[in-house]
Amino acid sequence: MDLATLSNWSGSKEELFDRLTHELAQAGRWHELFEARLIEARSRLGLSLTDSPPLDELPEPARSTLENDYTAACREVGGLMLDAGQLREAWRYLRPAGEKRMMHAALGQMVPNDENIEQLIELALYEGIDIERGYGWMLGHLGTCNAITTLEGMAPQLPPDSLEACAAVLVRQLDRELRENLRSHIAQQESSAPDANASVAELITDRQWLFDSQASHVDASHLAAAVRFARVLTHPAVVEVALGLAEYGRRLNPDLQYAGDPPFEELYPAHRLFFLATLRREVPEAIEYFRNQLDACDTHMAGTAPLETLMVVLDRTGHAAEAMELYEQSAPAGVQLSPFAPRLVDLAAKCDGWEHYEAILRDRDDPVGIAIGLLERNKSAKGQNT
């Protein structure tokens, strides 16, 4: 529409907006299209187009109607910008419209390259649209050091499932690097390469000579970080991969075995037991080890990590009732445990320990927790009766 036609428009306002928005869309003038949609919405409601009050000052139903029109305009313009490949700008509109799934689907179709990788990582990882995919892109394009540093910074804010997904990406990447380098070393020594699908545990079995030098087949700091993050893993196949990393790490020269924080000061041996327990192997040994670590630690220095770790081991090995007892005896009153620790309400659900749960929270004067337990208990009972 040229400006002369617009100035001399003689049709209805509905036809005017139809024509205007169509031509703005055709011309790819997305921001102006959005403004036109908002003006159209105000016009339909009989509101001033130049001096309208803020949304929260409008009476109902005008307020709700205008909110819905605003959301629809965001969805329309964001979708058009997605189709045009303008992802970052599209998200400015799709985010207030609550269209994360639309953006998630679009990212799934993207092929990262040097020109778009920064934008893709920003949207997928930092905007939280597809955290696992974004972290994989970062690891593949920006390197392991950047990926580990980023995950260390983001971990406290990530939901548990997203943190686990990122940890799995990191663990699998370190496993691929380690297996590739081990196979190359073995091929040089034995004149033939092992099976490409051989696990780390299989590759290092009966090959102590792999550890004769003071070098590691992957960056030792990367290996240590991957093993630490692997504590959040629960899927057996990925935990098995992490176990292989720990098995490799504990055979390294002591100078390459960095000390961890309690109860993982013996970084690789402690993680090996932790992963084995998660896989329901060597459970008594793991429980005894981490109980001894808890008993021996200075809680003022170590914080709640030794307690939380033993609770996790008990929970993952089918000892939820014991984990509740441990919480009752050892969790400091008024101190909130980290997201790594199992929630007391989940432990109660696993062992049907609702009376114990309520007794613990009554003793700690936690009425909100008691209410949550009551609701969860009733929900569980209804599920059993259906």
Side-chain angles (χ1 to χ4, degrees):
M1 178 187 295
D2 59 59
L3 296 182
T5 301
L6 183 61
S7 299
N8 297 303
W9 184 261
S10 59
S12 67
K13 67 177 183 181
E14 289 81 8
E15 293 171 326
L16 170 63
F17 282 115
D18 284 347
R19 179 76 177 273
L20 175 62
T21 54
H22 174 75
E23 296 203 7
L24 288 173
Q26 288 293 104
R29 297 169 69 166
W30 315 121
H31 303 302
E32 292 166 284
L33 171 61
F34 180 72
E35 291 299 321
R37 287 300 190 199
L38 296 188
I39 293 172
E40 179 184 11
R42 289 184 175 276
S43 176
R44 281 198 304 267
L45 292 170
L47 300 174
S48 169
L49 305 184
T50 58
D51 190 27
S52 184
L55 189 64
D56 59 2
E57 295 180 13
L58 290 175
E60 292 291 358
R63 174 178 174 173
S64 295
T65 300
L66 196 58
E67 283 181 337
N68 292 336
D69 289 338
Y70 172 83
T71 300
C74 286
R75 187 177 295 111
E76 176 189 6
V77 172
L80 290 169
M81 297 185 83
L82 270 188
D83 293 340
Q86 300 178 26
L87 273 67
R88 183 182 280 117
E89 290 295 306
W91 182 236
R92 288 179 53 194
Y93 291 98
L94 294 176
R95 178 168 49 193
E99 284 294 348
K100 183 176 178 179
R101 283 186 293 181
M102 184 184 294
M103 196 70 194
H104 187 283
L107 288 174
Q109 301 300 314
M110 296 300 298
V111 178
N113 54 48
D114 291 341
E115 286 72 35
N116 66 16
I117 186 61
E118 182 179 337
Q119 175 184 205
L120 294 180
I121 291 174
E122 175 190 341
L123 291 168
L125 181 59
Y126 295 116
E127 290 291 334
I129 298 169
D130 191 343
I131 291 174
E132 181 178 3
R133 188 185 301 275
Y135 191 69
W137 281 335
M138 170 173 277
L139 192 60
H141 289 264
L142 301 185
T144 305
C145 277
N146 282 325
I148 289 174
T149 301
T150 298
L151 190 56
E152 287 174 341
M154 294 184 66
Q157 288 77 45
L158 288 177
D161 58 340
S162 296
L163 178 58
E164 181 173 358
C166 290
V169 171
L170 178 61
V171 165
R172 290 192 183 280
Q173 174 65 22
L174 262 292
D175 174 69
R176 282 192 293 270
E177 291 181 18
L178 179 55
R179 287 190 295 111
E180 179 179 344
N181 292 336
L182 285 171
R183 290 181 69 252
S184 177
H185 191 177
I186 293 168
Q188 293 175 6
Q189 185 74 18
E190 299 180 354
S191 301
S192 63
D195 189 322
N197 295 318
S199 67
V200 170
E202 291 170 333
L203 291 171
I204 64 178
T205 298
D206 297 328
R207 292 188 175 104
Q208 182 57 37
W209 52 265
L210 286 166
F211 303 94
D212 287 344
S213 71
Q214 294 188 4
S216 173
H217 295 85
V218 290
D219 185 286
S221 64
H222 295 174
L223 178 68
V227 168
R228 288 197 307 270
F229 277 118
R231 294 202 294 264
V232 303
L233 300 175
T234 56
H235 192 284
V238 192
V239 176
E240 196 74 58
V241 173
L243 175 61
L245 297 182
E247 291 283 10
Y248 173 85
R250 76 188 184 103
R251 288 170 168 78
L252 286 172
N253 184 282
D255 291 339
L256 297 175
Q257 296 192 43
Y258 307 129
D261 296 322
F264 295 96
E265 290 173 300
E266 296 181 299
L267 185 69
Y268 296 115
H271 279 91
R272 172 184 174 274
L273 275 174
F274 185 85
F275 298 146
L276 283 169
T278 300
L279 295 167
R280 299 292 184 100
R281 305 204 294 263
E282 299 189 22
V283 171
E285 293 85 349
I287 292 175
E288 180 182 10
Y289 178 87
F290 288 108
R291 193 179 296 279
N292 289 339
Q293 292 295 306
L294 175 60
D295 292 341
C297 78
D298 181 345
T299 56
H300 294 291
M301 296 292 293
T304 59
L307 167 64
E308 293 178 12
T309 301
L310 180 54
M311 287 180 65
V312 171
V313 170
L314 291 169
D315 178 32
R316 291 184 181 180
T317 55
H319 297 84
E322 291 181 38
M324 291 183 68
E325 292 176 7
L326 179 65
Y327 177 90
E328 182 179 25
Q329 296 164 4
S330 304
V335 174
Q336 186 173 2
L337 301 185
S338 78
F340 177 65
R343 299 187 307 168
L344 191 63
V345 67
D346 294 330
L347 294 173
K350 289 180 179 180
C351 66
D352 196 24
W354 294 112
E355 292 184 5
H356 190 193
Y357 172 88
E358 292 180 10
I360 294 172
L361 296 189
R362 280 198 304 270
D363 185 59
R364 293 170 182 251
D365 189 24
D366 186 353
V368 174
I370 291 174
I372 292 172
L374 179 62
L375 294 172
E376 288 295 314
R377 183 177 187 177
N378 290 341
K379 184 169 69 175
S380 177
K382 288 180 180 178
Q384 294 174 357
N385 293 330
T386 56

